[in-house]
Amino acid sequence: MSHRVLAVRNSAKLSVLRIYGKEPIDLFVNVSESEGLPISIMEACGVGAPVLATDVGGTCEIVFNELNGRLLPANPTSDMIAQAITWLMDMPVGDFKRMRRASRCVWEDRFRAVENARQLIEVLQVGEFPELAKTDEVLPY
């Protein structure tokens, strides 16, 4: 299987999203030293790209080792990164396709805004949080 590599660094978000819309992405790499919950990885999963990332911040909530990508320890060596890329790019086509589907499923299950909003509305309507029920109380702001 041949692969195309696209390297983007500090690029405008819109330009990256345009690339996602036009080109299949075989692998998304994010080896940050620190993260919160990385939107860039969510977006990559949304287009079904397997992810190679460092296990920092909330990245482990998006990337599941060998399911939709691979997690490296914080501050990996260049050899560790190269080995992980090689592992992903050399995997059998069927395994790679399963990883792509898994990446998209992670996005759909955990980070799709429409679904998350629907679930929140459902929880609020069921009344699991009575303290959040609407009242006639006037707030001081």
Side-chain angles (χ1 to χ4, degrees), residues 30-41:
N30 180 337
V31 289
S32 295
E33 293 179 3
S34 66
E35 282 289 350
L37 189 62
I39 300 294
S40 61
I41 295 177

Side-chain angles (χ1 to χ4, degrees), residues 11-97:
S11 184
K13 180 180 178 179
L14 188 56
S15 66
V16 173
L17 293 176
R18 283 189 185 124
I19 292 167
Y20 284 161
K22 293 179 183 177
E23 304 289 334
I25 305 298
D26 290 330
L27 177 63
F28 182 84
V29 179
N30 180 337
V31 289
S32 295
E33 293 179 3
S34 66
E35 282 289 350
L37 189 62
I39 300 294
S40 61
I41 295 177
M42 287 181 210
E43 292 168 344
C45 289
V47 296
V51 177
L52 171 63
T54 45
D55 190 3
V56 295
T59 304
C60 64
E61 296 179 39
I62 306 171
V63 181
F64 300 92
N65 241 352
E66 300 188 18
L67 175 69
N68 69 325
R70 181 166 272 188
L71 285 173
L72 296 173
N75 301 310
T77 66
S78 56
D79 284 344
M80 293 169 75
I81 297 167
Q83 288 172 3
I85 291 171
T86 300
W87 172 79
L88 285 158
M89 295 295 104
D90 287 348
M91 71 173 41
V93 173
D95 292 346
F96 189 76
K97 286 180 178 180

Side-chain angles (χ1 to χ4, degrees), residues 71-140:
L71 285 173
L72 296 173
N75 301 310
T77 66
S78 56
D79 284 344
M80 293 169 75
I81 297 167
Q83 288 172 3
I85 291 171
T86 300
W87 172 79
L88 285 158
M89 295 295 104
D90 287 348
M91 71 173 41
V93 173
D95 292 346
F96 189 76
K97 286 180 178 180
R98 276 189 291 283
M99 188 171 279
R100 289 186 72 88
R101 283 192 302 275
S103 200
R104 174 64 184 202
C105 285
V106 166
W107 177 80
E108 287 176 353
D109 292 346
R110 293 173 167 251
F111 301 104
R112 189 167 176 235
V114 171
E115 179 60 18
N116 289 343
R118 185 197 63 74
Q119 289 176 11
L120 175 62
I121 290 167
E122 185 177 293
V123 165
L124 294 174
Q125 287 175 338
V126 169
E128 290 183 34
F129 298 98
E131 65 274 12
L132 297 179
K134 187 174 180 177
T135 69
D136 293 329
E137 178 182 357
V138 177
L139 299 175

